[in-house]
């Protein structure tokens, strides 16, 4: 009885040891991504296993990966490819490589294609045939004559996938930061260290049109820091291609990151909130002043221009109020409540822009057309356009279920602003960007025609009255606020942070400018009344309607 029992115990121990021996087979992927098992192995099997870590090493699996070792593996492979590998080309699903011996007495610059999914190869200078390419100046090879008559050049295009390998500390998929097409380009001469080139090399990356809030920058992988760096590189950004110029050889990439950092985003929010609060106060003053003047002056009941100014003031007041409520509430409440806040904010934004466009239309009738400007129920028709058309757009957008949570993140992936807005970019581009752009272009054309009229009149009366040009400039500044021209600064925000600050300041203070315009026009001093010219009375012409 003892022997069978002992035999059973030995059998159980053997099975247990067999289970333990089998564990490394399940742990193998983790060991590969730790970079310990095949640090200096570059056979096809080892390359494919290590490349699998590009997709496995995500944020949720960071503990199973050693990013430093993985990145060092591919940097060492670049040197191995030139120094020890006997093949001239390499083509896999994640990597293409080209190795060539170059004469150091080369007489012209060398060009190599970097076409995606193709092995790099030497090409001619024709940029149209090969939009993705690298140019190596002949002076680079001329400086290497001390290394011998020939040097081995290696060019690698590596697809680093969606994981965290070669992403560094500042890149995050959540806020749109990324390596362009997840492709990095490696240039190497093996153990020959090339730095501080007299003439930089050029790498051209082709790409689709990028949104204005994204910054394109040429950077190299700094192995000592384990992160991307732009030192020694310059960036020439184009619409569909970007040229990188760098003074050394290593791994390069074109990085896309948000323009606004955390400090800038928060500063813009504070400026907007302060400006909107100030505008609401002055817009309320404008509305109250109109009511007082309407009861005290008989002509206010028949003039349409003050009514249009007040309608614009009301729409801007409600837009600022909706902005405060939206930003203050953030994403609190149910999905239905968030949907409603997004729709209300969208509606008042469209109302404000529509009334700016109607201001421009009214200005066209007063200054450009002048004659035959009578319309029955004129202001009623404008009101239908100003309040009903935006409602129809919002209803259509709501039916498409385009409203929802919206977050703005900085370059470190920290959420700096949460509000209920659009969750569908197509609807945002069509019903906000497209609509507002049409209004802006229409207003800009009308204001250009009015400018021509005003300065033509100023030239004709220059001998009679002094200071006509200054009055004309001030008149145009006031009219530009009415028709919403400061919102056109949004087109320039991609130029840098300064224009973003100017845009936030001028648009949030629009209500203050409208109040000042209203005071100058309808509460003039006695001296202003006696000395005002035609340019100062632009807004006093009447387009009377019978309602």
């Amino acid at each position: 009885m003892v022997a069978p029992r002992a035999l059973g115990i030995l059998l159980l121990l053997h099975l247990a040891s067999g289970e333990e021996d089998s564990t490394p087979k399940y742990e193998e992927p983790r060991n590969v991504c730790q970079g310990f098992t095949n640090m200096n192995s570059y056979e096809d099997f080892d390359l494919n296993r290590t490349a699998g870590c590009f997709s496995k090493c995500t944020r949720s699996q960071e503990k199973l990966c050693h990013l430093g070792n993985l990145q060092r593996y591919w940097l060492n492979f670049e040197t191995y490819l030139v120094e020890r590998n006997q093949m001239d080309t390499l083509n896999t699903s994640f990597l293409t490589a080209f190795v060539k011996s170059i004469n150091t007495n080369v007489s012209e610059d060398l060009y190599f294609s970097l076409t995606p999914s193709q092995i790099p190869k030497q090409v001619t200078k024709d940029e149209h045939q090969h939009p993705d390419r690298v140019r190596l100046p002949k002076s680079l090879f001329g400086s290497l004559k001390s290394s011998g008559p020939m040097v081995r050049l290696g060019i690698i295009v590596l697809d680093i996938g969606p994981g965290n390998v070669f992403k560094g500390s500042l890149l995050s998929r959540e806020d749109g930061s990324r390596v362009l097409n997840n492709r990095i380009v490696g240039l190497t001469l093996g153990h020959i260290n090339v730095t501080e080139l007299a003439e930089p090399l050029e790498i051209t990356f082709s790409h689709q049109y990028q949104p204005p809030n994204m910054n394109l920058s040429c950077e190299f992988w700094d192995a000592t820091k384990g992160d991307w760096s732009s030192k020694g590189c310059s960036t020439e950004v184009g619409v569909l291609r970007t040229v990188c110029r760098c003074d050394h050889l290593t791994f390069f990439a074109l990085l896309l990151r948000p323009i606004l950092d955390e400090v800038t985003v928060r500063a813009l929010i504070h400026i907007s909130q302060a400006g909107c609060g100030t505008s609401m106060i002055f817009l309320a003053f404008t509305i109250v002043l109109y009511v007082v003047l309407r009861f005290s002056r008989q002509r206010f009941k028949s003039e349409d221009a003050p009514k249009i100014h007040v309608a614009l003031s009301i729409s801007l007041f409600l837009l600022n109020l909706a902005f405060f409520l939206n930003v203050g509430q953030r994403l609190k409440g149910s999905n239905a409540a968030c949907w409603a806040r997004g729709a209300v904010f969208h509606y008042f934004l469209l109302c404000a822009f529509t009334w700016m466009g109607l201001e421009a239309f009214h200005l066209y009738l007063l200054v450009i057309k002048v004659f035959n400007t009578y319309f029955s129920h004129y202001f009623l028709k404008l009101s239908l356009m100003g309040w009903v058309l935006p409602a129809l757009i919002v209803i259509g957008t709501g039916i498409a279920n385009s409203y929802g949570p919206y977050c703005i993140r900085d370059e470190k992936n920290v959420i700096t602003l949460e509000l209920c807005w659009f969750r569908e970019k197509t609807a945002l581009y069509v019903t906000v960007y497209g609509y507002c752009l049409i209004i802006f272009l229409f207003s800009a054309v009308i204001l250009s025609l009015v400018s021509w009229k005003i300065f033509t009149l100023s030239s004709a009366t220059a001998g009679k009255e002094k200071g006509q040009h200054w009055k004309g400039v001030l008149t145009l500044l006031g009219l530009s606020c009415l028709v919403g021209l400061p919102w056109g600064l949004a087109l320039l925000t991609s130029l840098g942070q300064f224009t973003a600050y100017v845009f936030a300041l001028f648009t949030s203070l629009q209500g203050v400018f409208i109040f000042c315009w209203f005071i100058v026009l309808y509460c003039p001093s006695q001296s202003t009344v006696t000395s005002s010219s035609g340019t100062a009375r632009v807004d006093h012409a009447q387009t009377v309607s019978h309602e």
Side-chain angles (χ1 to χ4, degrees), residues 56-74:
K56 293 175 183 176
C57 294
T58 59
R59 289 185 177 277
S60 60
Q61 302 293 328
E62 277 188 351
K63 293 182 179 179
L64 303 179
C65 303
H66 194 298
L67 299 181
N69 285 342
L70 290 173
Q71 289 151 183
R72 197 175 302 112
Y73 175 88
W74 293 107

Side-chain angles (χ1 to χ4, degrees), residues 244-421:
C244 301
R245 296 182 178 89
C246 297
D247 64 358
H248 53 279
L249 300 184
T250 183
F251 274 115
F252 301 95
L254 187 61
L255 306 189
L256 290 86
R257 289 183 291 199
I259 292 176
L260 303 179
D261 57 18
E262 181 181 4
V263 175
T264 304
V265 171
R266 293 192 180 278
L268 290 173
I269 292 173
H270 293 325
I271 291 173
S272 298
Q273 289 177 330
C276 289
T278 305
S279 277
M280 289 178 68
I281 295 173
F282 281 89
L283 288 168
F285 287 162
T286 304
I287 297 169
V288 172
L289 179 61
Y290 170 77
V291 173
V292 172
L293 292 176
R294 184 176 173 86
F295 284 101
S296 62
R297 298 185 184 180
Q298 186 64 30
R299 69 182 181 88
F300 259 69
K301 297 181 180 180
S302 59
E303 281 192 16
D304 291 313
K307 299 176 186 177
I308 298 173
H309 298 340
V310 170
L312 174 60
S313 299
I314 293 172
S315 64
L316 286 172
F317 181 89
L318 295 174
L319 173 62
N320 290 328
L321 180 61
F323 172 76
F324 270 110
L325 294 177
N326 206 345
V327 174
Q329 291 290 323
R330 292 184 177 266
L331 299 180
K332 297 178 181 178
S334 63
N335 291 334
C338 185
W339 185 97
R341 289 202 301 272
V344 170
F345 188 37
H346 185 207
Y347 172 70
F348 288 126
L349 178 65
L350 295 182
C351 286
F353 267 93
T354 304
W355 279 108
M356 292 176 204
L358 294 175
E359 286 273 13
F361 174 74
H362 187 70
L363 191 61
Y364 165 78
L365 295 181
L366 295 181
V367 182
I368 309 301
K369 190 174 182 181
V370 181
F371 300 106
N372 299 322
T373 58
Y374 171 79
F375 296 95
S376 62
H377 307 293
Y378 175 66
F379 185 71
L380 177 61
K381 293 176 180 177
L382 294 185
S383 298
L384 290 175
M385 179 69 73
W387 302 110
V388 177
L389 178 60
L392 296 177
I393 296 175
V394 170
I395 290 172
T397 308
I399 292 174
N401 197 24
S402 299
Y403 302 117
Y406 183 85
C407 297
I408 295 178
R409 299 172 183 266
D410 64 10
E411 59 185 5
K412 296 182 180 179
N413 196 36
V414 177
I415 296 176
T416 55
L417 178 63
E418 293 178 309
L419 71 162
C420 297
W421 188 223

Side-chain angles (χ1 to χ4, degrees), residues 520-533 537 540:
V520 170
L521 284 181
Y522 302 113
C523 299
S525 62
Q526 187 63 32
S527 59
T528 306
V529 173
T530 56
S531 64
S532 62
S533 65
R537 291 193 297 267
H540 284 289

Side-chain angles (χ1 to χ4, degrees), residues 427-448:
L428 175 64
Y429 291 146
V430 173
T431 65
V432 177
Y433 298 156
Y435 188 86
C436 296
L437 181 61
I438 292 172
I439 298 292
F440 171 75
L441 293 176
F442 173 73
S443 300
V445 170
I446 298 300
L447 197 63
S448 299

Side-chain angles (χ1 to χ4, degrees), residues 230-251:
S230 59
K231 184 178 180 181
C233 293
S234 64
T235 307
E236 181 183 328
V237 179
V239 177
L240 296 177
R241 70 171 190 172
T242 296
V243 179
C244 301
R245 296 182 178 89
C246 297
D247 64 358
H248 53 279
L249 300 184
T250 183
F251 274 115

